[in-house]
Amino acid sequence: MGRVVINGLGKAYRQYPNRWAKLAEWILPGKRPRHHLKWILQDINIEIAPGESVGIVGNNGAGKSTLLKLITGTTQPSTGSVTMQGRVAALLELGMGFHPDFSGRQNAIMAAQLLGLQAAEIVALLPEIEAFAEIGDYMEQPVRLYSSGMQVRLAFAVATAVRPDILIVDEALSVGDAYFQHKSFERIRQFRKQGTTLLLVSHDRAAVQSVCDRAVLLDDGRVASEGKPEEVMDFYNALIAKRENSNVTLIPGGDGRVQTTSGTGEATVQQIELLNDQGEPVQMIGVGDTITLHVSVKIHRPIPRLIFGYLFKDRLGQTIYGSNTYHMNLPLEDLQAGEVIDYRFTFSANFGPGSYSVVTALTSSETHLADNYEWRDLALLFNVSNIRHQVFVGCNWLCPSVEINR
Protein backbone atom coordinates (compact mmCIF):
# COMPACT_ATOMS: atom_id res chain seq x y z
CA MET A 1 0.00 0.00 0.00
CA GLY A 2 1.10 3.56 -0.65
CA ARG A 3 2.51 3.08 -4.16
CA VAL A 4 2.17 5.85 -6.78
CA VAL A 5 2.86 5.21 -10.48
CA ILE A 6 2.75 8.14 -12.93
CA ASN A 7 3.03 7.09 -16.55
CA GLY A 8 3.33 9.49 -19.50
CA LEU A 9 1.31 12.15 -17.69
CA GLY A 10 0.48 15.36 -19.50
CA LYS A 11 -1.94 18.25 -19.19
CA ALA A 12 -2.86 20.81 -21.84
CA TYR A 13 -5.47 23.55 -22.01
CA ARG A 14 -7.13 24.89 -25.14
CA GLN A 15 -6.37 28.52 -25.96
CA TYR A 16 -8.49 30.48 -28.42
CA PRO A 17 -7.49 33.74 -30.12
CA ASN A 18 -10.89 35.19 -29.17
CA ARG A 19 -14.28 34.13 -27.82
CA TRP A 20 -15.79 33.94 -31.32
CA ALA A 21 -13.28 31.29 -32.33
CA LYS A 22 -14.46 29.11 -29.46
CA LEU A 23 -18.09 29.59 -30.47
CA ALA A 24 -17.28 28.79 -34.09
CA GLU A 25 -15.56 25.57 -33.09
CA TRP A 26 -18.69 24.52 -31.22
CA ILE A 27 -21.16 25.49 -33.93
CA LEU A 28 -19.16 24.25 -36.89
CA PRO A 29 -18.21 20.65 -36.06
CA GLY A 30 -15.88 18.86 -38.38
CA LYS A 31 -14.12 22.04 -39.40
CA ARG A 32 -10.50 22.85 -38.66
CA PRO A 33 -9.55 23.41 -34.99
CA ARG A 34 -9.65 27.06 -33.99
CA HIS A 35 -7.50 26.65 -30.89
CA HIS A 36 -3.98 25.68 -29.97
CA LEU A 37 -2.89 23.62 -26.99
CA LYS A 38 -0.96 25.15 -24.10
CA TRP A 39 0.93 22.29 -22.43
CA ILE A 40 1.39 22.68 -18.68
CA LEU A 41 2.92 19.23 -18.16
CA GLN A 42 4.35 16.76 -20.65
CA ASP A 43 5.66 13.21 -20.45
CA ILE A 44 5.92 12.93 -16.66
CA ASN A 45 7.06 9.47 -15.54
CA ILE A 46 7.57 8.95 -11.81
CA GLU A 47 7.26 5.85 -9.65
CA ILE A 48 7.09 6.22 -5.87
CA ALA A 49 7.56 3.11 -3.77
CA PRO A 50 5.52 2.44 -0.60
CA GLY A 51 6.99 4.39 2.32
CA GLU A 52 9.18 6.58 0.09
CA SER A 53 9.29 10.35 0.49
CA VAL A 54 9.62 12.43 -2.69
CA GLY A 55 9.99 16.19 -2.97
CA ILE A 56 8.73 18.11 -6.01
CA VAL A 57 10.61 21.36 -6.65
CA GLY A 58 10.71 23.97 -9.38
CA ASN A 59 10.07 27.60 -10.21
CA ASN A 60 6.60 29.13 -10.09
CA GLY A 61 4.76 28.00 -13.23
CA ALA A 62 6.82 24.83 -13.62
CA GLY A 63 3.71 22.66 -13.18
CA LYS A 64 4.10 21.45 -9.58
CA SER A 65 0.58 22.24 -8.36
CA THR A 66 -0.95 20.95 -11.61
CA LEU A 67 0.90 17.67 -11.10
CA LEU A 68 -0.55 17.28 -7.61
CA LYS A 69 -4.06 18.03 -8.88
CA LEU A 70 -3.66 15.34 -11.52
CA ILE A 71 -2.39 12.86 -8.95
CA THR A 72 -5.28 13.53 -6.56
CA GLY A 73 -7.88 13.49 -9.36
CA THR A 74 -9.12 17.07 -8.96
CA THR A 75 -8.00 17.67 -12.57
CA GLN A 76 -8.16 15.16 -15.40
CA PRO A 77 -5.02 14.49 -17.51
CA SER A 78 -4.79 15.10 -21.24
CA THR A 79 -2.41 12.16 -21.66
CA GLY A 80 -1.07 9.36 -19.47
CA SER A 81 -2.32 7.91 -16.22
CA VAL A 82 -1.86 7.91 -12.44
CA THR A 83 -2.22 4.73 -10.38
CA MET A 84 -2.33 4.85 -6.57
CA GLN A 85 -2.72 2.16 -3.95
CA GLY A 86 -3.99 3.05 -0.50
CA ARG A 87 -5.87 5.82 1.29
CA VAL A 88 -4.81 9.30 0.20
CA ALA A 89 -4.83 12.54 2.22
CA ALA A 90 -3.97 15.75 0.41
CA LEU A 91 -3.35 19.33 1.48
CA LEU A 92 -3.34 21.35 -1.72
CA GLU A 93 -4.40 24.95 -2.29
CA LEU A 94 -5.12 27.03 0.78
CA GLY A 95 -8.72 26.57 1.91
CA MET A 96 -9.58 24.14 -0.92
CA GLY A 97 -12.83 22.35 -0.02
CA PHE A 98 -13.75 24.70 2.85
CA HIS A 99 -17.08 26.52 2.71
CA PRO A 100 -16.45 30.11 3.88
CA ASP A 101 -19.84 30.45 5.62
CA PHE A 102 -19.62 27.18 7.58
CA SER A 103 -17.82 26.98 10.92
CA GLY A 104 -14.47 25.33 11.35
CA ARG A 105 -16.13 22.37 13.07
CA GLN A 106 -18.65 21.92 10.24
CA ASN A 107 -15.90 22.12 7.63
CA ALA A 108 -13.80 19.63 9.57
CA ILE A 109 -16.70 17.16 9.62
CA MET A 110 -17.32 17.55 5.89
CA ALA A 111 -13.61 17.25 5.05
CA ALA A 112 -13.32 14.10 7.17
CA GLN A 113 -16.31 12.59 5.37
CA LEU A 114 -14.61 13.27 2.02
CA LEU A 115 -11.61 11.32 3.34
CA GLY A 116 -13.90 8.33 3.79
CA LEU A 117 -14.28 8.41 7.58
CA GLN A 118 -17.49 7.17 9.19
CA ALA A 119 -19.62 9.34 11.48
CA ALA A 120 -18.50 7.54 14.65
CA GLU A 121 -14.83 7.92 13.68
CA ILE A 122 -15.27 11.63 13.00
CA VAL A 123 -16.93 12.24 16.38
CA ALA A 124 -14.07 10.41 18.11
CA LEU A 125 -11.39 12.34 16.17
CA LEU A 126 -12.82 15.86 16.50
CA PRO A 127 -11.23 16.57 19.92
CA GLU A 128 -7.81 15.54 18.54
CA ILE A 129 -8.33 17.66 15.40
CA GLU A 130 -9.28 20.66 17.51
CA ALA A 131 -6.32 20.16 19.85
CA PHE A 132 -3.80 19.87 16.99
CA ALA A 133 -5.16 22.89 15.08
CA GLU A 134 -5.02 25.09 18.21
CA ILE A 135 -7.44 27.72 16.90
CA GLY A 136 -9.55 27.86 20.08
CA ASP A 137 -13.03 29.40 19.86
CA TYR A 138 -12.61 29.95 16.12
CA MET A 139 -13.68 26.32 15.63
CA GLU A 140 -17.24 27.63 16.00
CA GLN A 141 -16.71 30.67 13.74
CA PRO A 142 -17.17 30.85 9.93
CA VAL A 143 -14.03 30.02 8.01
CA ARG A 144 -14.26 33.36 6.15
CA LEU A 145 -13.09 34.96 9.40
CA TYR A 146 -9.94 32.82 9.50
CA SER A 147 -6.48 34.03 8.65
CA SER A 148 -4.52 32.01 6.07
CA GLY A 149 -2.50 30.42 8.88
CA MET A 150 -5.63 29.31 10.72
CA GLN A 151 -7.00 27.70 7.55
CA VAL A 152 -3.76 25.76 7.15
CA ARG A 153 -3.87 24.61 10.78
CA LEU A 154 -7.40 23.24 10.42
CA ALA A 155 -6.82 21.69 6.97
CA PHE A 156 -3.63 19.92 8.07
CA ALA A 157 -5.19 18.71 11.33
CA VAL A 158 -8.10 17.13 9.42
CA ALA A 159 -5.96 15.65 6.62
CA THR A 160 -3.64 13.96 9.13
CA ALA A 161 -6.15 13.00 11.83
CA VAL A 162 -5.78 9.38 10.67
CA ARG A 163 -2.47 8.21 9.23
CA PRO A 164 -2.91 7.92 5.46
CA ASP A 165 -1.10 5.50 3.17
CA ILE A 166 -0.20 8.45 0.93
CA LEU A 167 0.17 12.04 2.15
CA ILE A 168 0.35 14.83 -0.44
CA VAL A 169 1.33 18.31 0.78
CA ASP A 170 1.52 21.40 -1.42
CA GLU A 171 3.20 24.68 -0.44
CA ALA A 172 0.25 25.65 1.78
CA LEU A 173 2.33 24.88 4.89
CA SER A 174 4.70 27.71 3.98
CA VAL A 175 2.11 30.31 5.07
CA GLY A 176 1.91 28.89 8.60
CA ASP A 177 3.89 30.26 11.51
CA ALA A 178 7.23 28.72 12.51
CA TYR A 179 5.72 26.88 15.50
CA PHE A 180 3.05 25.14 13.42
CA GLN A 181 5.50 24.31 10.62
CA HIS A 182 7.71 22.58 13.18
CA LYS A 183 4.70 20.76 14.62
CA SER A 184 3.46 19.70 11.17
CA PHE A 185 6.81 18.38 9.98
CA GLU A 186 7.18 16.41 13.21
CA ARG A 187 3.88 14.68 12.45
CA ILE A 188 5.03 14.05 8.87
CA ARG A 189 8.24 12.46 10.19
CA GLN A 190 6.21 10.22 12.52
CA PHE A 191 4.03 9.12 9.60
CA ARG A 192 7.14 8.37 7.56
CA LYS A 193 8.47 6.09 10.29
CA GLN A 194 5.13 4.28 10.25
CA GLY A 195 5.30 3.69 6.48
CA THR A 196 3.35 6.58 4.94
CA THR A 197 4.33 7.55 1.41
CA LEU A 198 4.98 11.31 1.17
CA LEU A 199 4.77 13.64 -1.81
CA LEU A 200 5.89 17.14 -0.82
CA VAL A 201 5.98 20.33 -2.89
CA SER A 202 8.17 23.00 -1.33
CA HIS A 203 10.66 25.77 -2.12
CA ASP A 204 12.26 25.14 1.28
CA ARG A 205 15.57 23.42 0.58
CA ALA A 206 16.03 22.39 4.22
CA ALA A 207 12.57 20.80 4.35
CA VAL A 208 13.11 18.80 1.15
CA GLN A 209 16.56 17.60 2.18
CA SER A 210 15.58 16.68 5.74
CA VAL A 211 12.28 14.91 4.97
CA CYS A 212 12.65 13.46 1.46
CA ASP A 213 14.51 10.40 0.15
CA ARG A 214 14.38 11.65 -3.42
CA ALA A 215 13.59 14.87 -5.26
CA VAL A 216 12.17 15.66 -8.70
CA LEU A 217 12.82 19.01 -10.38
CA LEU A 218 10.19 20.28 -12.81
CA ASP A 219 11.13 22.92 -15.35
CA ASP A 220 8.79 24.20 -18.06
CA GLY A 221 6.41 21.28 -17.48
CA ARG A 222 8.99 18.50 -17.79
CA VAL A 223 11.23 16.54 -15.44
CA ALA A 224 14.58 18.35 -15.55
CA SER A 225 16.35 16.33 -12.84
CA GLU A 226 15.63 13.45 -10.48
CA GLY A 227 17.78 11.94 -7.74
CA LYS A 228 19.14 12.61 -4.28
CA PRO A 229 17.64 15.76 -2.71
CA GLU A 230 20.98 17.52 -2.28
CA GLU A 231 21.99 16.95 -5.92
CA VAL A 232 18.61 18.01 -7.30
CA MET A 233 18.52 21.14 -5.15
CA ASP A 234 22.06 22.00 -6.25
CA PHE A 235 20.97 21.62 -9.88
CA TYR A 236 17.87 23.73 -9.21
CA ASN A 237 20.09 26.43 -7.72
CA ALA A 238 22.30 26.31 -10.80
CA LEU A 239 19.28 26.37 -13.11
CA ILE A 240 18.16 29.65 -11.54
CA ALA A 241 21.61 31.09 -12.18
CA LYS A 242 21.56 29.73 -15.75
CA ARG A 243 18.71 32.09 -16.54
CA GLU A 244 21.31 34.85 -16.12
CA ASN A 245 23.33 33.36 -19.05
CA SER A 246 25.39 31.06 -16.86
CA ASN A 247 26.62 27.63 -17.94
CA VAL A 248 25.73 24.56 -15.88
CA THR A 249 28.06 21.55 -15.59
CA LEU A 250 27.39 18.25 -13.79
CA ILE A 251 30.47 16.20 -12.80
CA PRO A 252 29.93 12.71 -11.27
CA GLY A 253 32.29 12.02 -8.36
CA GLY A 254 33.97 8.78 -7.35
CA ASP A 255 31.66 8.46 -4.34
CA GLY A 256 28.53 8.57 -6.50
CA ARG A 257 27.76 12.21 -5.68
CA VAL A 258 27.36 14.77 -8.46
CA GLN A 259 29.15 18.13 -8.38
CA THR A 260 27.14 20.99 -9.91
CA THR A 261 29.01 24.01 -11.23
CA SER A 262 27.43 27.07 -12.83
CA GLY A 263 28.65 30.49 -13.87
CA THR A 264 29.64 32.84 -16.65
CA GLY A 265 33.35 32.13 -16.18
CA GLU A 266 34.91 35.56 -15.64
CA ALA A 267 36.51 34.12 -12.49
CA THR A 268 36.95 30.52 -11.33
CA VAL A 269 38.35 28.61 -8.36
CA GLN A 270 41.56 26.91 -9.46
CA GLN A 271 42.58 25.44 -6.09
CA ILE A 272 40.82 24.72 -2.80
CA GLU A 273 42.15 22.92 0.28
CA LEU A 274 41.90 22.70 4.06
CA LEU A 275 45.13 23.32 5.96
CA ASN A 276 45.93 22.30 9.54
CA ASP A 277 47.75 24.58 11.98
CA GLN A 278 51.08 23.44 10.45
CA GLY A 279 49.92 24.57 7.00
CA GLU A 280 49.55 21.00 5.70
CA PRO A 281 46.61 19.94 3.48
CA VAL A 282 44.22 17.62 5.36
CA GLN A 283 40.99 15.76 4.63
CA MET A 284 40.41 14.52 8.18
CA ILE A 285 40.25 16.97 11.08
CA GLY A 286 39.36 16.78 14.75
CA VAL A 287 36.52 18.57 16.51
CA GLY A 288 37.72 22.05 17.49
CA ASP A 289 40.94 21.94 15.44
CA THR A 290 42.24 25.22 14.06
CA ILE A 291 42.05 24.98 10.28
CA THR A 292 42.39 27.29 7.30
CA LEU A 293 40.25 27.22 4.18
CA HIS A 294 42.64 28.14 1.38
CA VAL A 295 41.13 29.08 -1.98
CA SER A 296 42.94 30.32 -5.09
CA VAL A 297 40.84 32.24 -7.64
CA LYS A 298 41.88 32.94 -11.26
CA ILE A 299 40.52 36.02 -13.08
CA HIS A 300 39.89 35.27 -16.77
CA ARG A 301 38.26 38.53 -17.91
CA PRO A 302 38.22 42.04 -16.38
CA ILE A 303 35.54 42.43 -13.72
CA PRO A 304 34.69 45.57 -11.73
CA ARG A 305 34.01 43.81 -8.41
CA LEU A 306 34.57 40.40 -6.85
CA ILE A 307 32.89 38.83 -3.84
CA PHE A 308 33.97 35.40 -2.61
CA GLY A 309 31.55 33.32 -0.55
CA TYR A 310 31.66 29.86 0.98
CA LEU A 311 29.31 27.43 2.74
CA PHE A 312 29.91 24.37 4.87
CA LYS A 313 27.28 21.62 4.47
CA ASP A 314 26.72 18.37 6.31
CA ARG A 315 26.22 15.01 4.58
CA LEU A 316 22.50 15.76 4.06
CA GLY A 317 23.25 19.06 2.36
CA GLN A 318 22.08 21.20 5.26
CA THR A 319 24.01 24.46 5.59
CA ILE A 320 26.12 24.54 8.77
CA TYR A 321 27.79 27.89 8.24
CA GLY A 322 28.29 30.35 5.43
CA SER A 323 29.60 33.85 4.79
CA ASN A 324 31.20 35.99 2.10
CA THR A 325 33.54 38.94 1.68
CA TYR A 326 30.58 41.26 1.09
CA HIS A 327 29.42 40.79 4.67
CA MET A 328 33.04 40.99 5.84
CA ASN A 329 33.42 44.35 4.05
CA LEU A 330 36.29 42.94 1.97
CA PRO A 331 35.22 43.24 -1.70
CA LEU A 332 37.89 43.49 -4.38
CA GLU A 333 37.58 46.14 -7.10
CA ASP A 334 38.79 46.45 -10.72
CA LEU A 335 40.33 43.04 -11.29
CA GLN A 336 42.18 42.31 -14.53
CA ALA A 337 42.50 39.15 -16.60
CA GLY A 338 45.38 36.95 -15.42
CA GLU A 339 45.25 37.99 -11.75
CA VAL A 340 45.27 35.25 -9.11
CA ILE A 341 43.60 35.99 -5.77
CA ASP A 342 44.57 33.97 -2.69
CA TYR A 343 41.92 33.68 0.08
CA ARG A 344 42.61 32.21 3.52
CA PHE A 345 39.93 31.87 6.23
CA THR A 346 41.15 30.56 9.58
CA PHE A 347 38.76 29.31 12.31
CA SER A 348 38.14 26.64 14.90
CA ALA A 349 36.34 23.69 13.33
CA ASN A 350 33.65 23.26 15.96
CA PHE A 351 31.75 20.75 13.81
CA GLY A 352 30.20 17.55 15.04
CA PRO A 353 31.70 14.25 13.84
CA GLY A 354 30.71 13.39 10.29
CA SER A 355 31.22 14.14 6.61
CA TYR A 356 31.09 17.70 5.26
CA SER A 357 31.43 19.58 1.99
CA VAL A 358 32.39 23.11 0.95
CA VAL A 359 30.48 25.26 -1.55
CA THR A 360 32.20 28.23 -3.19
CA ALA A 361 30.68 31.26 -4.91
CA LEU A 362 32.27 34.04 -6.99
CA THR A 363 29.92 36.97 -7.64
CA SER A 364 29.80 40.76 -7.82
CA SER A 365 27.36 41.15 -4.90
CA GLU A 366 25.99 39.34 -1.87
CA THR A 367 23.96 36.88 -3.96
CA HIS A 368 24.90 34.62 -6.87
CA LEU A 369 21.67 35.46 -8.70
CA ALA A 370 23.34 38.57 -10.14
CA ASP A 371 26.71 38.25 -11.92
CA ASN A 372 27.29 34.61 -11.06
CA TYR A 373 30.91 34.15 -12.16
CA GLU A 374 31.07 30.69 -10.61
CA TRP A 375 29.05 28.65 -8.12
CA ARG A 376 30.52 25.26 -7.24
CA ASP A 377 28.83 22.65 -5.05
CA LEU A 378 30.93 19.88 -3.46
CA ALA A 379 34.06 21.91 -4.18
CA LEU A 380 35.81 20.10 -1.31
CA LEU A 381 34.93 17.10 0.89
CA PHE A 382 36.33 16.47 4.36
CA ASN A 383 35.60 14.46 7.51
CA VAL A 384 35.52 15.40 11.18
CA SER A 385 36.23 12.97 14.03
CA ASN A 386 36.02 13.46 17.79
CA ILE A 387 39.25 12.33 19.44
CA ARG A 388 39.82 14.93 22.15
CA HIS A 389 36.41 15.98 23.49
CA GLN A 390 33.66 14.33 25.50
CA VAL A 391 31.00 12.49 23.54
CA PHE A 392 28.23 14.71 22.11
CA VAL A 393 25.64 14.62 19.35
CA GLY A 394 24.73 17.19 16.72
CA CYS A 395 26.52 19.31 14.15
CA ASN A 396 28.25 21.76 16.49
CA TRP A 397 30.64 21.52 19.44
CA LEU A 398 29.60 24.25 21.90
CA CYS A 399 32.25 23.62 24.57
CA PRO A 400 29.93 24.37 27.53
CA SER A 401 31.00 25.27 31.06
CA VAL A 402 28.88 23.56 33.71
CA GLU A 403 27.84 24.66 37.18
CA ILE A 404 25.71 22.38 39.40
CA ASN A 405 24.41 23.40 42.81
CA ARG A 406 22.63 21.21 45.38
Side-chain angles (χ1 to χ4, degrees):
M1 301 294 282
R3 181 180 297 277
V4 181
V5 179
I6 302 169
N7 185 27
L9 197 63
K11 180 63 179 178
Y13 293 96
R14 292 182 177 184
Q15 290 191 337
Y16 295 86
N18 54 63
R19 59 182 176 177
W20 305 114
K22 186 173 185 178
L23 179 62
E25 190 173 82
W26 286 352
I27 296 176
L28 305 173
K31 302 295 184 180
R32 63 178 178 84
R34 298 174 183 273
H35 67 269
H36 72 274
L37 294 178
K38 172 65 174 178
W39 287 93
I40 308 301
L41 289 173
Q42 279 188 283
D43 197 28
I44 305 297
N45 296 280
I46 304 171
E47 184 169 346
I48 305 173
E52 189 178 13
S53 177
V54 176
I56 306 294
V57 298
N59 292 324
N60 292 333
K64 305 185 299 298
S65 295
T66 300
L67 176 60
L68 294 195
K69 291 177 183 178
L70 293 172
I71 292 173
T72 56
T74 57
T75 298
Q76 294 303 305
S78 302
T79 61
S81 63
V82 178
T83 304
M84 293 192 290
Q85 299 174 347
R87 194 176 72 83
V88 181
L91 184 64
L92 301 181
E93 293 179 3
L94 184 62
M96 177 180 281
F98 282 172
H99 193 294
D101 293 324
F102 290 174
S103 70
R105 186 177 303 279
Q106 291 170 323
N107 274 292
I109 292 172
M110 291 189 296
Q113 289 173 332
L114 291 174
L115 290 173
L117 300 179
Q118 301 300 314
E121 293 177 292
I122 297 172
V123 171
L125 288 170
L126 272 175
E128 181 183 339
I129 292 172
E130 188 173 357
F132 191 88
E134 295 187 64
I135 58 175
D137 294 339
Y138 276 94
M139 278 295 287
E140 312 304 333
Q141 300 297 319
V143 166
R144 58 183 165 78
L145 300 179
Y146 287 18
S147 66
S148 58
M150 291 167 65
Q151 292 184 47
V152 167
R153 283 171 174 259
L154 182 59
F156 187 85
V158 174
T160 61
V162 176
R163 185 183 73 82
D165 297 308
I166 302 170
L167 177 61
I168 300 173
V169 182
D170 202 347
E171 294 167 305
L173 282 179
S174 63
V175 306
D177 56 80
Y179 164 73
F180 191 75
Q181 287 183 25
H182 176 82
K183 187 177 180 180
S184 300
F185 277 106
E186 186 57 37
R187 174 166 282 192
I188 289 173
R189 291 187 183 95
Q190 291 175 0
F191 283 174
R192 284 210 57 212
K193 292 177 182 177
Q194 296 168 357
T196 292
T197 301
L198 175 66
L199 195 56
L200 173 69
V201 167
S202 178
H203 282 112
D204 187 342
R205 178 177 183 133
V208 172
Q209 293 184 182
S210 64
V211 174
C212 298
D213 305 310
R214 183 160 53 103
V216 176
L217 171 62
L218 294 182
D219 185 52
D220 197 23
R222 296 180 181 272
V223 174
S225 180
E226 182 176 358
K228 297 178 181 178
E230 180 183 2
E231 295 173 3
V232 172
M233 295 306 292
D234 287 345
F235 184 76
Y236 178 32
N237 196 48
L239 201 63
I240 295 173
K242 186 178 181 180
R243 301 187 191 283
E244 299 294 329
N245 298 318
S246 300
N247 296 315
V248 178
T249 305
L250 302 177
I251 305 174
D255 59 354
R257 303 167 79 177
V258 178
Q259 181 189 83
T260 303
T261 303
S262 65
T264 52
E266 284 88 344
T268 59
V269 171
Q270 66 176 11
Q271 183 184 12
I272 179 170
E273 58 187 354
L274 278 183
L275 307 177
N276 61 18
D277 52 5
Q278 280 81 46
E280 302 165 334
V282 291
Q283 292 181 326
M284 174 69 75
I285 62 176
V287 174
D289 285 0
T290 299
I291 60 172
T292 297
L293 175 65
H294 171 224
V295 181
S296 180
V297 175
K298 180 69 176 289
I299 309 301
H300 301 285
R301 293 189 290 277
I303 52 178
R305 194 167 188 254
L306 178 66
I307 300 295
F308 174 79
Y310 63 94
L311 294 172
F312 289 103
K313 295 184 179 181
D314 65 12
R315 63 181 181 84
L316 297 177
Q318 308 284 359
T319 299
I320 302 302
Y321 175 81
S323 188
N324 60 41
T325 55
Y326 173 89
H327 296 300
M328 299 173 188
N329 295 317
L330 294 171
L332 298 178
E333 311 282 351
D334 298 323
L335 294 104
Q336 302 302 314
E339 285 191 64
V340 176
I341 313 300
D342 206 49
Y343 290 97
R344 293 175 184 263
F345 304 90
T346 301
F347 53 90
S348 296
N350 293 324
F351 301 116
S355 177
Y356 296 86
S357 66
V358 180
V359 177
T360 59
L362 299 172
T363 69
S364 66
S365 61
E366 61 179 315
T367 172
H368 78 291
L369 299 181
D371 295 327
N372 173 35
Y373 304 137
E374 185 187 69
W375 175 285
R376 183 177 299 186
D377 291 291
L378 302 177
L380 177 68
L381 301 176
F382 65 97
N383 293 291
V384 178
S385 63
N386 186 11
I387 55 178
R388 286 188 294 274
H389 299 286
Q390 64 195 56
V391 176
F392 69 99
V393 296
C395 60
N396 196 355
W397 166 244
L398 297 179
C399 191
S401 61
V402 181
E403 180 178 336
I404 300 175
N405 297 307
R406 293 188 63 184

